[in-house]
Amino acid sequence: MFRYSKGFILPVLAATMMTAPMSAENVSVSTPKTSLALDITKGETLKFLYYGDRLNAADVAQLQSAGTFGKDAYPVYGLSAEAQAALSVQHADGNLTLDMSVEGFEQVAEANAKVLKVQLKDRVYPFYVTVCYRAYNDVDIIEMWTEIKNGEKQTVTLKQFDSAYMPIRRGDVWMSHFYGAWANEAQLSEEPLKPGTFVIENRDGVRNAQTSRGEVMFSLDGKAQENSGRVIGAAICYTGNYKLRAVTDESEYHQFFAGIDDYNSEYHLKKNETFVTPVTAFSYSKEGLSGVSRNFHRWGRKYKLANADRERKILLNSWEGVYLNINEKDMAQMMADIKSMGGELFVMDDGWFGEKYPRKTDNSALGDWKVDREKLPNGIEGLLDEAKKQGVKFGIWIEPEMSNTKSELYDKHPDWVIKAPKRELRTGRGGTQVVLDLANPKVQDFVFSVVDDLMTKYPEIDYIKWDANMHISNHGSQYLTADNQSHLYIDYHRGLEKALQRIRAKYPDLTIQDCASGGGRVNWGYLPYFDEFWTSDNTDALQRVYMQWGTSYFFPAIAMAAHISNAPNHQTARTVPLKFRTDVAMCGRLGMEIQPKVLSDVDKDQCRKAIADYKCIRPIVQFGDLYRLQSPFEKKGVASLMYVTEAKDKAVFYWFKTEAFCNQHLPRIPMAGLDPQKRYRVTELNRIDHSPLSFEGKTFSGEYLMQNGLEIPYGHNADWGKANEWASRVLLLEAL
Ligand code: DGJ
């Protein structure tokens, strides 16, 4: 029997089981502010009744009398063949239909949540589905997944096997979702749900967040608002291909389905095997899109993201500074520079490895994780000694799931790569990159050993950047049998998760960055194994305002790596002043991605000051509540957001001009999330102006700031000739 891990970091207390009475019954699960209700009647189809504001027991009991007629809570294919289904199978005798009814249910108390499990059985076949709901006691998140068991004598083929289904009452419902590309991830799209089916599908095989994202929000009261209105958010927590469908048919409900993508992924479930689908997490809030974001951030920090109770270090990454031209002198100089600016960690990126086939360009050595002694005569030991001398921690880049055909690994194990039989090998980056077949347990061991060997030899390594720069382009496993080739997309990710689980079990304190050609793997399925993610390979500060905005819908600032980089920017060639670059990077986990040698002493001082200021606001940014205020996607010429501590005693407000026109009118931005009764003193951070802002050092009530905001000047008070089109502000608010 194989099972998906379901949040393996979640502490599960000895479960308390409550067996349920089995007459017709409305059953609800609740979080502090939300409830989900089902009609669980033995022998009948399981019905979904409600998801929204928390309900009391009396109202739960009355849902049908109020005119709420249940939709199937987990629609299956067959008897109403025209309807959309979450589950579709083919039995060994060829029968394509299912007809599931309730057998019973149980409620299990975990340390921080209650789990409701409803057991369904086919009316004819020994085929079982357990529909599961986990409602957290302290955050407004309900997770859904299913456990599909084949009790039949022969194999059953799973054709479609969604994790979750959610009917949403029709009205003026808008959907917010994300599309993108390399260097342009997390672009927001918002539109009303219209008749037809809207599908978000990821088929990359490896990087499931580059071109689309596995998360959506539904605004129930018309066009989405940041801080008001009812919103449902959903996130599939999975590392592989997924499919999200919003179906608007003739019924009174929009129907949302989320699950593993069925594209060429038929799964053969043997007798007595259980297939556990990945969790889809839901949240409901009356505080708009930002309200749902805050719920996901809290849940993520508490239950999902690795080591989320620890502040993240300020680092310098070598990639944009030296690219593959790693050498000892530059590494030492970069360590010294980041240390001198107040940073805490240096990360050596791609290019340090390869013995027989040194990695001079990106066409060799992936898989051969042996140091290139020509570039680094004193090896990793030498770098670790240097880091110790400089007083910074040391991190290193790897891409463990990949190989190049120009590598010792490929010479030895050509059978370990993903490849369709009888076809020429298709390659990726550098014309030689190939993906290792993680369905193969030997490859799983190898991937584990890449980290394990490094950490065994060099236990002082503090940080690993785990990259993945290719999709599956040769659909074929040299390990799986001919009749199970359609398992590849799924078994790859089972193998990957197994390796990641072993790594996390052995190295829980190691900081690991989730990177995949930038933000290609930003999904809650990954983050239990990772401490943070690389948001995008695009470090252009203006484009980052947009990408970080989109990413913040579901992912907290503590995990969002944001680096100050060169001007002109290496991706867009845009020249953005250092002030704007530091301010944007300070919205997330601050770092640098630059050769510091190119910075003047004045610029270095500015970075030193920004790093010092960031250390003061780090707990607010990394553990605070996000309030998005003005979206850059609305094209009003300005973007603004803020973080507020849970106690509402401190906040950081950010304001970015996104366009520059003469005599342009920009909206004044009311703040949010403050305590109306408290008075806050305002201090500008990263100031470059000659004279302070009019409100510098002054105090204002939270009420005033939330009703009116502050009038932010459109430009900076700088010397003539230094003035430019860019303006940005970071304000610290401290309650008296
Ligand atoms: C892609 C990553 O996103 C970059 O940051 C960098 O690590 C390169 N790969 C290295 O090859």
Side-chain angles (χ1 to χ4, degrees), residues 33-34 52-53 172-174 176 217-233 283-295 628:
K33 291 190 188 148
T34 71
D53 279 314
D172 190 7
V173 178
W174 284 58
S176 308
M217 289 197 196
F218 298 102
S219 301
L220 310 186
D221 301 311
K223 190 169 174 354
Q225 301 296 316
E226 278 299 348
N227 291 297
S228 62
R230 298 171 304 148
V231 177
I232 291 174
S283 182
Y284 166 84
S285 171
K286 279 196 293 200
E287 294 174 33
L289 302 165
S290 280
V292 167
S293 297
R294 287 191 290 279
N295 291 342
R628 284 184 303 266

Side-chain angles (χ1 to χ4, degrees), residues 319 349-350 359 397 429 465 467 469 515 517-518 534 537 593:
W319 182 241
D349 208 284
D350 194 355
R359 190 153 168 93
W397 179 95
R429 190 182 185 192
K465 176 171 175 178
D467 207 344
N469 291 302
C515 171
S517 319
W534 184 218
D537 269 352
E593 183 96 14

Side-chain angles (χ1 to χ4, degrees), residues 21 29 184 188 217 288 303 314 364 387 451 505 510 520 539 549 576 629 640:
V29 287
N184 191 29
L188 176 66
M217 289 197 196
Y303 299 112
I314 298 160
S364 63
V451 174
L510 178 66
T539 56
W549 188 272
V576 177
L629 305 172
S640 181

Side-chain angles (χ1 to χ4, degrees), residues 182 185 317 319-320 323-324 348-351 353 359 362 366 397-399 429 433 465-469 513 515-520 534-539 563 593:
W182 175 78
E185 294 90 337
N317 183 287
W319 182 241
E320 287 194 22
Y323 291 102
L324 295 169
M348 177 173 66
D349 208 284
D350 194 355
F353 50 93
R359 190 153 168 93
D362 61 4
L366 292 177
W397 179 95
I398 50 175
E399 196 178 356
R429 190 182 185 192
Q433 185 156 339
K465 176 171 175 178
W466 179 306
D467 207 344
N469 291 302
Q513 186 188 65
C515 171
S517 319
W534 184 218
T535 312
S536 175
D537 269 352
N538 188 341
T539 56
H563 296 178
E593 183 96 14

Side-chain angles (χ1 to χ4, degrees), residues 203-457:
R203 297 175 167 190
D204 185 281
V206 173
R207 298 163 303 189
N208 69 1
Q210 188 179 70
T211 54
S212 62
R213 290 275 158 106
E215 300 88 27
V216 290
M217 289 197 196
F218 298 102
S219 301
L220 310 186
D221 301 311
K223 190 169 174 354
Q225 301 296 316
E226 278 299 348
N227 291 297
S228 62
R230 298 171 304 148
V231 177
I232 291 174
I236 182 157
C237 308
Y238 185 52
T239 59
N241 293 351
Y242 53 77
K243 182 144 111 184
L244 313 179
R245 288 176 292 149
V247 181
T248 303
D249 57 15
E250 73 285 2
S251 76
E252 285 298 338
Y253 290 86
H254 303 287
Q255 305 179 65
F256 175 68
F257 298 83
I260 293 180
D261 191 16
D262 52 351
Y263 172 63
N264 272 330
S265 292
E266 275 192 356
Y267 214 91
H268 305 120
L269 202 59
K270 287 198 224 110
K271 176 176 157 56
N272 287 333
E273 270 186 341
T274 300
F275 187 99
V276 181
T277 63
V279 158
T280 297
F282 288 87
S283 182
Y284 166 84
S285 171
K286 279 196 293 200
E287 294 174 33
L289 302 165
S290 280
V292 167
S293 297
R294 287 191 290 279
N295 291 342
F296 271 97
H297 296 177
R298 276 194 208 118
W299 164 81
R301 285 195 304 256
K302 230 168 163 184
Y303 299 112
K304 294 278 159 177
L305 181 70
N307 302 313
D309 53 348
R310 285 192 220 150
E311 285 185 5
R312 301 310 195 231
K313 297 188 185 81
I314 298 160
L315 63 84
L316 169 66
N317 183 287
S318 69
W319 182 241
E320 287 194 22
V322 298
Y323 291 102
L324 295 169
N325 305 318
I326 300 283
N327 64 70
E328 273 178 2
K329 197 164 143 259
D330 282 337
M331 297 301 99
Q333 164 255 314
M334 290 176 112
M335 289 182 208
D337 276 333
I338 187 61
K339 176 67 186 176
S340 78
M341 288 184 278
E344 298 149 333
L345 167 70
F346 170 71
V347 181
M348 177 173 66
D349 208 284
D350 194 355
W352 60 268
F353 50 93
E355 215 173 51
K356 184 170 171 197
Y357 303 100
R359 190 153 168 93
K360 295 211 177 347
T361 67
D362 61 4
N363 70 357
S364 63
L366 292 177
D368 303 346
W369 303 105
K370 296 183 234 168
V371 75
D372 176 349
R373 291 270 165 185
E374 254 181 54
K375 287 181 179 174
L376 301 170
N378 294 298
I380 307 292
E381 309 84 305
L383 296 172
L384 284 165
D385 287 349
E386 184 64 33
K388 201 164 177 191
K389 213 169 80 197
Q390 302 284 358
V392 286
K393 296 280 183 195
F394 180 79
I396 195 164
W397 179 95
I398 50 175
E399 196 178 356
E401 298 152 75
M402 304 287 159
S403 187
N404 291 110
T405 50
K406 236 169 112 181
S407 71
E408 292 179 61
L409 182 74
Y410 185 75
D411 288 348
K412 213 163 141 196
H413 297 292
D415 55 319
W416 279 10
V417 310
I418 288 182
K419 184 187 172 302
K422 302 187 190 134
R423 303 273 177 212
E424 286 282 305
L425 190 60
R426 289 250 172 133
T427 49
R429 190 182 185 192
T432 56
Q433 185 156 339
V434 283
V435 184
L436 296 176
D437 182 359
L438 268 149
N440 183 340
K442 287 199 179 120
V443 173
Q444 295 162 21
D445 289 344
F446 170 77
V447 167
F448 168 74
S449 78
V450 175
V451 174
D452 194 38
D453 289 352
L454 273 175
M455 294 310 294
T456 307
K457 275 200 220 141

